[in-house]
């Protein structure tokens, strides 16, 4: 007898219910809605993309397994954001067509259409990286080759790689571009080795005929000698044909472990750009962008509150937004700073609350420019002192959250707040107009962060 989609889903939720806390179940599982089962793909209606993301991370495998076991054939899960859940209608401002969760794996170039330059918020922490990526997207193979992007988890590396891919696809459709994680490259390569020479040849051919290769999380290649060897050959072939290579990693080239020296030496041939954790202003801007992308309404003071609490990682920032919005949808409670405080309590790690002081900034900047720490507070106005001092003011404004321009002025030997504002504006303009200066500022920011403990 044929079992209906509803019955199948009931079986799945009965199973899940036993294995997760009720609160989690209520929040994430009960709003889901089974839609259809066709060609071994089970389609699940979800309230918005946050749900797809959560499910992918926490339950997809489990659900696929339950369904596959029951139907005795492999079943894949796919998600469809839905508009017509009445609870959501009441709270959420909607546009006619919400973006549906793209099935990236089905796409040959593996480029995720959601990640574009337009949705990437630019701030001091990522300006140089964003600028470099845009330059590469506009002139692949011409300006920076290779481009090496690095930065901590969840700071936008993958987003930028896809953005390059999307830009090229749109503006230069005849070019062949491919996104691949180092992990996928590795497993593809291992797979190919099991087959005949034809498979090997087509693997080589696929990579060597690209116009732009975007390879993500290269640190994954650590210790994988054969893969590195293969990648080395591909790199050389592409490079000598003046084809673009973009590499991302969670650390700078020279800190990559168990990666062949000859590869590392090539990574530094072109341009290297890092991404730092975003400052408060950028975090708020990112939250605003995400809320509007996902068509959820969150009051400004709440956005601000989230942004002051979650500091290190944009993925966590998004996660918090998603959590509080789902919570409020589900419980029908309005989002206030108070309620948000409670919801966020258990996701915020104390390590997020590292403190950067103006003192520390002044020390690092002074030593960077071979000045005396006292010069930061002195009345001297020679360029050699005034310019670094302005940089320190800019950093004090951007790397700390709690000081007003008046307080910053006080910390710089009792200067007026307009002097601080002028300095902040001037340095900001310079970082925008001069990417190399921006890179220098990033470097100083990194020094400040790494000397704080
Ligand atoms: P990484 O690859 O560095 O770990 P991701 O590119 O996956 O980080 O970014 C994590 C999430 O944060 C993604 O959803 C991405 O869209 C978002 N994100 C990161 N930086 C920005 C930004 N500057 N503007 C908007 N969204 C961002
Ligand atoms: Mg990534």
């Amino acid at each position: 007898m044929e079992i209906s989609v509803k019955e199948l889903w009931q079986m799945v939720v009965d199973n899940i219910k036993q294995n997760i806390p009720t609160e989690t179940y209520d929040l994430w599982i009960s709003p889901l809605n089974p839609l259809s089962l066709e060609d071994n793909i089970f389609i699940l209606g979800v309230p918005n993309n946050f749900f797809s993301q959560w499910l992918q991370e926490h339950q997809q495998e489990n659900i696929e397994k339950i369904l596959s076991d029951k139907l005795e054939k492999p079943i894949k899960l796919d998600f469809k954001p839905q508009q017509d859940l009445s609870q959501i209608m009441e709270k959420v401002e909607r546009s006619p067509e919400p973006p549906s969760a793209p099935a990236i794996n089905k796409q040959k170039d593996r480029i995720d259409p959601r990640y574009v330059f337009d949705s990437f918020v630019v701030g001091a922490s990522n300006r140089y990286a964003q600028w470099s990526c845009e330059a590469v997207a506009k002139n692949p193979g011409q300006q920076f080759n290779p481009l090496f992007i690095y930065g901590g988890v969840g700071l936008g590396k993958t987003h930028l790689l896809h953005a390059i891919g999307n830009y090229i696809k749109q503006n230069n459709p005849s070019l062949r571009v491919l996104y691949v994680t180092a992990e996928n490259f590795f497993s593809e390569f291992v797979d190919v080795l099991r087959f005949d020479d034809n498979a090997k040849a087509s693997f080589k051919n696929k990579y060597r005929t690209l116009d732009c290769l975007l390879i993500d999380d290269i640190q994954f290649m650590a210790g994988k000698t054969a893969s590195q060897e293969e990648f080395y050959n591909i790199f050389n072939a592409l490079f000598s044909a003046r084809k673009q290579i973009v590499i991302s990693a969670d650390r700078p080239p020279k800190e990559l472990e168990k990666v062949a020296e000859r590869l590392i030496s090539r990574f530094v041939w072109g341009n290297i750009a890092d991404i730092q954790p975003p400052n408060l202003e950028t975090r708020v801007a990112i939250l605003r962008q995400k809320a509007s992308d996902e068509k959820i309404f969150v009051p400004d003071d709440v956005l601000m509150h989230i942004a002051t609490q979650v500091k290190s990682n944009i993925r966590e920032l998004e996660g918090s937004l998603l959590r509080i919005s789902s919570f409020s949808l589900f419980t029908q409670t309005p989002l206030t700073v108070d309620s948000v405080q409670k919801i966020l309590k258990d996701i915020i790690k104390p390590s997020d609350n590292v403190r950067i002081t103006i003192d520390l900034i002044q020390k690092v900047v002074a030593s960077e420019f071979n000045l005396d720490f006292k010069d930061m507070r002195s009345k001297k106005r020679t360029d050699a002192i005034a310019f670094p001092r302005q940089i320190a003011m800019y950093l004090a404004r951007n790397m700390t959250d709690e000081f007003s321009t008046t307080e910053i002025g006080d910390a710089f030997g009792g200067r007026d707040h307009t002097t601080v504002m002028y300095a902040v504006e001037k340095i900001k303009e310079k970082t925008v107009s001069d990417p190399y200066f921006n890179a220098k500022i990033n470097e100083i920011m990194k020094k400040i962060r790494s000397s704080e403990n």
Side-chain angles (χ1 to χ4, degrees), residues 51-61 79 101-102 114:
F51 280 79
S52 331
Q53 213 173 318
W54 186 88
L55 286 162
Q56 274 160 9
E57 273 169 30
H58 296 95
Q59 285 292 338
Q60 177 156 8
E61 234 174 84
F79 308 109
R114 286 176 305 177

Side-chain angles (χ1 to χ4, degrees), residues 79 88 147 192 227 290 336 360 379 420:
F79 308 109
I88 293 172
L147 171 59
V192 156
S227 277
K290 294 290 164 188
T336 62
L360 176 67
K379 297 280 171 220
V420 177

Side-chain angles (χ1 to χ4, degrees), residues 53 115 119-123 126 151-160 216-217 248 275 282 286 289-290 313-315 318:
Q53 213 173 318
Y115 293 142
S119 63
F120 191 82
V121 176
V122 183
N126 58 26
V153 176
L155 296 183
K157 302 180 296 294
T158 299
H159 189 135
L160 282 175
D216 207 355
D217 289 321
S248 92
I275 309 185
T282 311
I286 290 172
Q289 165 90 33
K290 294 290 164 188
N313 174 324
I314 297 168
R315 197 170 295 131
E318 283 182 8

Side-chain angles (χ1 to χ4, degrees), residues 180-187 215-221:
V180 68
T181 61
E183 189 174 1
N184 279 341
F185 180 88
F186 167 74
S187 49
I215 185 157
D216 207 355
D217 289 321
I218 200 80
Q219 73 277 359
F220 183 85
M221 290 244 191

Side-chain angles (χ1 to χ4, degrees), residues 72-89:
E72 296 176 336
K73 57 182 178 180
I75 303 292
K76 291 273 163 217
L77 200 58
D78 208 349
F79 308 109
K80 193 174 158 72
Q82 292 207 283
Q83 307 178 59
D84 54 354
L85 294 178
S86 61
Q87 301 165 333
I88 293 172
M89 287 304 278

Side-chain angles (χ1 to χ4, degrees), residues 96-165:
E97 257 315 65
S100 60
I104 305 153
N105 293 336
K106 289 185 206 129
Q107 244 169 284
K108 266 173 65 199
D109 57 26
R110 304 196 193 104
I111 291 167
D112 187 332
R114 286 176 305 177
Y115 293 142
V116 291
F117 285 121
D118 274 350
S119 63
F120 191 82
V121 176
V122 183
S125 58
N126 58 26
R127 184 170 288 122
Y128 184 66
Q130 193 272 351
W131 177 82
S132 306
C133 287
E134 220 168 59
V136 155
K138 286 178 180 158
N139 293 304
Q142 311 272 319
Q143 205 169 351
F144 302 131
N145 209 13
L147 171 59
F148 190 100
I149 302 282
Y150 74 90
V153 176
L155 296 183
K157 302 180 296 294
T158 299
H159 189 135
L160 282 175
L161 258 55
H162 284 289
I164 296 173

